[in-house]
Amino acid sequence: MMDEIDNHAIILLDRQGYIETWNKGAEKIKGYQAGEIINQNFRIFYTEADRQAGLPSQLLAEAATAGKVYHEGWRLRKDGSRFWGAVTIVASYNEQDVLIGFAKITRDLTERIEAETTIKLHAQNLESQNKELEQFVYIASHDLQEPLLNVSNFVELLQLEYGDKLDETAEMYLGVINHCTHRMRDLIKDLLDYSRIGRRKALVPVDCQHLVDTVKEDLATQLRQTGAVIQCGALPTVNAYAIELRQLLQNLISNAIKFTPADRKPVVTISARLHDHHWQFTVADNGIGIDPSHSEKIFKIFQRLNDRDAYEGNGIGLAHGKKIVELHGGALWVESTPGQGSRFVFTIPVHTL
Ligand code: ADP
């Protein structure tokens, strides 16, 4: 039976670790034929460093005292290449309880360990690239503010000191410069805010019902001006990043109202449903809707589908939203029927604090 098993090396060792039997699995994993390995010491499979450190005899000693020992590490094949071995050594005794040798079972886990190492490396790379990118956005937007401030200051000086010498056209030009610098300032502020998301990392219980009430207070002017109705089902308390979650809800509700045609009364419906491991929230509106071909694009930074004259905005709210939801380990997406409305859906995992 031992001989037929070819995915495990199963061998018997004497008390000193000299090899007594050899199966097909051992031949496949370690590369030696039975004839050339029997009577050699099993130390041969260990790296020079492990041999120097006395690992083979340590393992035998441990197996002899405890009955068995488990160990994982790099081992050597006949051709000198390495494999990751998962090794169990079991002590064997005669009827008088005297140690007579060991049975040793080895599995080759090289593929698993290499896959784990690759995943770990990718994760580390990704994390450091993300940090670099955030740092870059932060520094770039921070440094952009300074020259912009100079432009604004000098436009102000021009208007103050030369105002009476300027004709209407020059005034108009200055007005355009002013407008553009303001827009630029807003964009830079948005970028800075974006790079700051996730710096505060404390999950706290957030009562979403209460959160919607505070968002409604913040949006009071928009609600009054549009006559929008907010319908809200029972919402849970979730463990979340409070400020960010509020920002997300505020943006989704405000968009829902904003992207409804002026001749239609906006109706926004907020609901939440518990799934196995997460809460699924929906913010639905009866607005202009979104063509499904744009359902990815709208979550990218500074991407907008509508003219700024028709609907104001910078195109960063949903990019913020996506980052916030992902920070919680959830997902954000949109479902929509163009002309009839959109449903923004996001999930928040049920975190334990
Ligand atoms: P902004 O609202 O500043 O334009 P967002 O990132 O919040 O930026 O949204 C990006 C774009 O997605 C919007 O410009 C709009 O075209 C579209 N959009 C967002 N929310 C809705 C909605 N509720 N209904 C229809 N379109 C929407």
Side-chain angles (χ1 to χ4, degrees):
M1 187 194 75
M2 268 168 59
D3 206 39
E4 284 314 307
I5 294 173
D6 68 353
N7 54 358
H8 287 67
I10 305 176
I11 59 179
L12 295 178
L13 306 175
D14 73 6
R15 285 193 305 176
Q16 276 78 41
Y18 285 91
I19 297 161
E20 292 178 333
T21 68
W22 195 245
N23 76 335
K24 263 197 199 131
E27 188 181 316
K28 195 168 145 195
I29 294 175
K30 305 184 187 197
Y32 296 93
Q33 303 284 331
E36 55 188 347
I37 195 73
I38 284 179
N39 290 332
Q40 296 227 42
N41 195 284
F42 87 118
R43 244 180 284 139
I44 196 166
F45 309 130
Y46 287 72
T47 62
E48 182 59 34
D50 282 346
R51 267 181 265 164
Q52 296 279 345
L55 181 64
S57 28
Q58 253 173 47
L59 292 177
L60 289 192
E62 243 181 280
T65 357
K68 71 173 183 181
V69 66
Y70 177 80
H71 184 262
E72 281 193 24
W74 290 113
R75 302 286 189 268
L76 297 177
R77 297 192 186 96
K78 182 184 172 188
D79 63 7
S81 61
R82 293 188 322 168
F83 69 94
W84 186 266
V87 183
T88 306
I89 302 176
V90 184
S92 142
Y93 304 89
N94 66 10
E95 280 165 7
Q96 285 76 44
D97 261 354
V98 177
L99 180 74
I100 50 169
F102 302 91
K104 179 171 171 290
I105 304 168
T106 306
R107 273 180 305 152
D108 179 355
L109 297 184
T110 313
E111 276 178 24
R112 192 197 72 187
I113 209 79
E114 280 176 354
E116 280 173 6
T117 314
T118 315
I119 290 170
K120 228 187 265 171
L121 264 178
H122 279 317
Q124 277 168 358
N125 272 345
L126 214 62
E127 198 176 326
S128 82
Q129 278 172 1
N130 261 343
K131 278 210 181 106
E132 248 172 55
L133 206 65
E134 277 178 15
Q135 198 72 8
F136 168 76
V137 173
Y138 181 78
I139 292 170
S141 38
H142 205 262
D143 290 358
L144 284 174
Q145 279 179 328
E146 204 186 286
L148 192 64
L149 202 64
N150 267 332
V151 175
S152 295
N153 287 344
F154 278 90
V155 168
E156 214 173 292
L157 276 178
L158 256 179
Q159 277 169 328
L160 264 178
E161 296 181 13
Y162 294 86
D164 45 357
K165 297 189 189 79
L166 296 177
D167 64 11
E168 239 177 59
T169 318
E171 279 289 353
M172 195 260 285
Y173 289 167
L174 284 184
V176 174
I177 297 177
N178 248 337
H179 177 76
C180 290
T181 48
H182 276 122
R183 251 193 66 61
M184 182 91 170
R185 206 177 51 204
D186 287 349
L187 289 174
I188 291 173
K189 190 184 156 299
D190 285 343
L191 265 183
L192 271 173
D193 288 347
Y194 184 77
S195 73
R196 281 189 189 122
I197 292 176
R199 291 192 175 198
R200 295 168 290 251
K201 287 222 168 174
L203 287 173
V204 289
V206 181
D207 175 350
C208 295
Q209 202 86 48
H210 178 68
L211 201 65
V212 170
D213 288 340
T214 54
V215 169
K216 269 163 60 179
E217 281 167 26
D218 289 346
L219 298 177
T221 317
Q222 198 186 7
L223 289 172
R224 208 177 37 249
Q225 282 170 352
T226 56
V229 177
I230 312 268
Q231 299 174 333
C232 185
L235 298 182
T237 294
V238 294
N239 293 323
Y241 303 106
I243 296 170
E244 281 81 1
L245 191 61
R246 175 182 169 152
Q247 202 180 339
L248 167 72
L249 272 173
Q250 174 150 345
N251 181 255
L252 292 181
I253 297 172
S254 156
N255 272 354
I257 302 170
K258 184 166 77 176
F259 293 105
T260 300
D263 59 358
R264 206 184 286 170
K265 184 162 137 173
V267 179
V268 186
T269 311
I270 306 162
S271 57
R273 248 180 53 204
L274 182 62
H275 289 248
D276 276 352
H277 302 291
H278 62 261
W279 280 98
Q280 181 165 313
F281 290 80
T282 305
V283 178
D285 63 50
N286 58 337
I288 58 174
I290 295 163
D291 191 295
S293 64
H294 293 134
S295 50
E296 302 263 322
K297 179 180 166 184
I298 53 169
F299 296 102
K300 298 204 169 109
I301 201 162
F302 298 141
Q303 296 288 338
R304 312 192 71 236
L305 306 179
N306 313 95
D307 210 349
R308 190 159 289 110
D309 293 338
Y311 300 99
E312 62 169 33
N314 288 336
I316 199 158
L318 288 179
H320 269 161
K322 194 167 161 54
K323 196 168 167 191
I324 290 169
V325 172
E326 283 171 2
L327 185 71
H328 286 86
L332 166 65
W333 68 94
V334 68
E335 298 160 359
S336 173
T337 312
Q340 290 183 26
S342 313
R343 291 159 51 82
F344 281 86
V345 187
F346 67 90
T347 58
I348 299 287
V350 180
H351 293 287
T352 43
L353 285 177

